[in-house]
Amino acid sequence: GLPISQGTVTDGLKRLAALFEPLIEAMHEKQMSESLFHGDETRWIVFETVEGKTGRRWYLWVTLSESVHYYRVASSRATAVPREHFATLDEDIECAILVCDRYSAYKRLAKEMPALLLAFCWAHVRRDFIDAARRFPQHQAWMFEWVEAIRELYRINKQRLDEWDKALPLEQQSPAFAERHQALIDALAGMEQRRDEALRQSELPAPQRAVLASLKTHWAGLTVFVTHPEVPMDNNAGERGVRKGVLGRNAYHGSGSQWSAQLMAGMLTVLQTLVHWGINAHHWMNAFLLACAEQGGRCPQDLTPFLPWAMGEARKRELSQPLAQPPRNPMTSCRAQ
């Protein structure tokens, strides 16, 4: 019932968007100093006619790292989008790992960036066998034998990680870790041998050959987690990250314009990064916008008090709490009653 015109709301959002741009740039810069990423993308709709573009289908891309959950909206699903995102990756990083699905854009990106290593997702491989079992019931028992083998890999790797000391290199881990590490290597070797023996069979049914051929093609990326225990076996984190956009798309279909789509992606970056750090977004937003007001409607030059990895522990604890509500005016309460 508040009598505010649509134009006033739109103009206010455009003004607010500019305040967050330096903050989002700082978050991207922080992410490019890290070396382990999860990446995913999903369809997004922008209801604005853009010269040179057919249709309204855009894409929401997400890149997660230890410190930042970064979102961007792009008109394309091509390699150019992640290429632009990783263009400023710290040159001192000898090996950066991107956990992702088997989408061709990531594969082309890895060819262009020698420092970027792709770690493929075992959950997608498991899905291959389950989907094939549904499409070809006559091969269901065979497919689920492989599903069980993948489940066993997860179990062995979990046992290995229970003994893993993150502070030590692989060769200096405990004997208990070494035992479980060898068990993982043996399980993968057995799976690899079983796969290759099956593929050598000329009478192997086509559905079985298809899933095993894909498994062999992506084997190098699927086994990155063996020598890099910090790498998860799947990209579930990336899929959970991109689901924020899926929920929005299902709720309100997309964005009415390019600028609003970019604002949506920028605010997802800010808010999801805050949630990742356990910071109360309402409290943080109140503090940030108050600081902008004190700067005459401009973003503060010193962003340290608002970047979770840069702020002090005391401030982080403060901002993790709900925003204190001002005391109620008893006269106002009486009139309301």
Side-chain angles (χ1 to χ4, degrees):
L2 191 64
I4 299 179
S5 68
Q6 178 65 46
T8 301
V9 174
T10 300
D11 181 65
L13 289 174
K14 286 184 175 180
R15 291 172 183 266
L16 285 175
L19 299 178
F20 290 94
E21 289 176 0
L23 192 75
I24 296 168
E25 291 175 6
M27 290 184 170
H28 180 254
E29 182 179 353
K30 173 62 176 177
Q31 188 171 80
M32 290 301 98
S33 70
E34 299 177 314
S35 59
L36 178 59
F37 309 95
H38 286 263
D40 206 353
E41 76 291 328
T42 189
R43 175 174 53 87
W44 190 256
I45 305 299
V46 177
F47 295 94
E48 179 181 355
T49 301
V50 179
E51 185 177 355
K53 176 171 176 56
T54 302
R56 296 171 174 172
R57 176 170 292 190
W58 289 51
Y59 293 90
L60 177 66
W61 296 72
V62 59
T63 308
L64 312 182
S65 65
E66 181 181 5
S67 301
V68 177
H69 289 196
Y70 195 93
Y71 294 78
R72 66 171 62 207
V73 169
S75 60
S76 168
R77 199 180 174 219
T79 309
V81 181
R83 181 194 300 133
E84 180 183 353
H85 183 79
F86 286 102
T88 56
L89 185 67
D90 191 336
E91 295 180 354
D92 293 333
I93 297 176
E94 296 181 359
C95 178
I97 299 175
L98 174 61
V99 185
C100 59
D101 57 26
R102 298 160 294 187
Y103 178 44
S104 58
Y106 298 120
K107 297 177 183 179
R108 286 193 291 269
L109 177 67
K111 290 180 179 179
E112 297 175 8
M113 297 183 62
L116 189 64
L117 181 64
L118 300 186
F120 293 129
C121 174
W122 276 98
H124 280 79
V125 176
R126 180 179 180 274
R127 203 173 301 161
D128 289 344
F129 287 99
I130 293 176
D131 289 345
R134 290 171 178 165
R135 292 198 307 271
F136 307 100
Q138 66 274 28
H139 301 300
Q140 187 175 89
W142 185 92
M143 296 293 176
F144 277 104
E145 288 178 3
W146 281 92
V147 172
E148 179 61 24
I150 294 171
R151 187 196 70 82
E152 181 66 7
L153 282 184
Y154 272 91
R155 185 188 69 81
I156 297 173
N157 189 52
K158 182 181 183 302
Q159 290 181 337
R160 181 183 72 139
L161 294 179
D162 288 341
E163 303 296 337
W164 178 46
D165 186 343
K166 298 180 181 180
L168 296 176
L170 204 61
E171 60 276 8
Q172 296 180 14
Q173 295 290 325
S174 68
F177 174 89
E179 180 182 351
R180 287 161 175 74
H181 183 69
Q182 187 59 49
L184 178 64
I185 292 174
D186 293 343
L188 284 165
M191 180 180 284
E192 188 175 16
Q193 180 180 0
R194 178 183 175 189
R195 178 203 68 201
D196 292 344
E197 288 176 352
L199 287 172
R200 284 194 291 268
Q201 299 174 14
S202 58
E203 69 279 8
L204 186 69
Q208 296 180 13
R209 184 174 298 279
V211 289
L212 292 184
S214 176
L215 179 62
K216 184 171 184 176
T217 298
H218 299 96
W219 190 255
L222 288 167
T223 53
V224 169
F225 76 99
V226 178
T227 53
H228 295 273
E230 72 276 12
V231 175
M233 286 183 63
D234 52 51
N235 192 32
N236 290 350
E239 293 195 353
R240 285 194 298 268
V242 85
R243 182 164 172 75
K244 309 300 187 300
V246 174
L247 293 174
R249 185 182 67 215
N250 293 343
Y252 50 86
H253 307 300
S255 302
S257 60
Q258 292 182 69
W259 75 263
S260 62
Q262 300 303 334
L263 175 60
M264 179 275 304
M267 295 313 300
L268 271 178
T269 297
V270 172
L271 297 174
Q272 290 304 312
T273 297
L274 294 175
V275 170
H276 173 65
W277 282 84
I279 291 176
N280 184 288
H282 183 205
H283 194 166
W284 181 96
M285 191 69 69
N286 184 78
F288 178 74
L289 292 178
L290 180 60
C292 292
E294 292 172 348
Q295 293 293 318
R298 295 185 297 273
C299 180
Q301 291 187 347
D302 181 13
L303 293 175
T304 302
F306 304 103
L307 297 173
W309 56 88
M311 67 178 64
E313 289 299 321
R315 180 167 176 81
K316 195 182 302 180
R317 286 193 299 271
E318 176 191 357
L319 292 179
S320 67
Q321 301 302 314
L323 180 64
Q325 297 297 321
R328 297 180 63 184
N329 186 328
M331 296 304 296
T332 302
S333 301
C334 291
R335 284 197 297 270
Q337 294 173 3

